[in-house]
Structures are given as C-alpha cells and as structure tokens.
Amino acid sequence: MLDQLTQLVKDVDGAWAAAIGGLDGLLIEGHATLDADLSLLIAEHAGLYRVTQTVYTDTLQGGQPRELYLRGERLSVYLHPIKSDYFLLLAVDGRGNLGQARLYGRDTARKLEAQL
C-alpha cells in the first residue's frame, strides 16, 4: 500500500501527502514529502467525512458520497472512499491539480480496495 501512496504523491502536481484512514479516525498507512502529522490529518478529516455521509444519505437522501474535496488557502484535501470503512486522503498545496487528484485518486482507491 505504501508504494501506491508514494506513487500517487508523485503523480499529482502539488501533492505532498497521501494516506489511508479509517472512519474511526485511525491512520492505516501514509506517505508524506513534508513534515506533517498524518494521524491528525486523518483524524480530523474522518470526522468531516462521517458528517458528510450522514448529511448526504440521511438528511438530503442523496446516497453515499463518492468523493469530497476541501480547499483552503494553503491546503486542499481530496477524499475518496475505500469500501465502507476506509478512505483515501490526498493533500495538495495551493497550486495542486484537482483534476489529477480525482483521476489518480480514484484509480489508487480502486487498487487499494482489493488489499483492504
């Protein structure tokens, strides 16, 4: 799994971290090119993803979320579910390429699904 996460960071312009997290907020595996607390990134985004799931499935009747993208001033994060209990997190900087994040992120999530 680490090889796939490392390759994902290399493939996406502006990416600096990729990780697999559980909806319980625990880091399963991760790779970062910067000094970053991946456990904190996973824990915080797991909570956001759980809330998004509740809102989309229960409140809005929109079905399961297929991806989530959050953009800040200096940090953007793309999340893609892996099975029902895990998700892929890809962190990119301000010049990150969302199109690449979505394309390569989906492909990597599918590959990781077979391993989890």
Side-chain angles (χ1 to χ4, degrees):
M1 292 188 292
L2 183 58
D3 290 341
Q4 290 164 325
L5 297 174
T6 302
Q7 188 62 49
L8 179 59
V9 171
K10 289 178 185 176
D11 288 342
V12 177
D13 292 341
W16 55 268
I20 303 165
L23 289 181
D24 58 2
L26 296 178
L27 174 68
I28 307 300
E29 183 69 85
H31 167 74
T33 59
L34 301 176
D35 184 26
D37 187 348
L38 293 181
S39 293
L40 178 63
L41 271 173
I42 289 292
E44 294 296 338
H45 287 88
L48 293 170
Y49 190 67
R50 283 192 311 269
V51 169
T52 301
Q53 280 187 317
T54 300
V55 168
Y56 268 73
T57 57
D58 299 340
T59 307
L60 300 175
Q61 313 279 307
Q64 288 290 330
R66 296 186 181 193
E67 58 187 6
L68 179 63
Y69 178 68
L70 303 166
R71 184 176 179 113
E73 290 179 27
R74 293 180 299 271
L75 166 68
S76 296
V77 172
Y78 171 77
L79 301 176
H80 193 285
I82 305 173
K83 295 190 176 184
S84 60
D85 295 328
Y86 305 101
F87 63 93
L88 171 70
L89 178 146
L90 179 62
V92 296
D93 62 21
R95 67 184 193 346
N97 187 319
L98 175 59
Q100 287 180 339
R102 292 183 71 207
L103 177 67
Y104 292 117
R106 277 191 308 243
D107 185 50
T108 301
R110 286 185 191 122
K111 290 175 185 174
L112 292 168
E113 188 171 344
Q115 298 176 30
L116 290 171

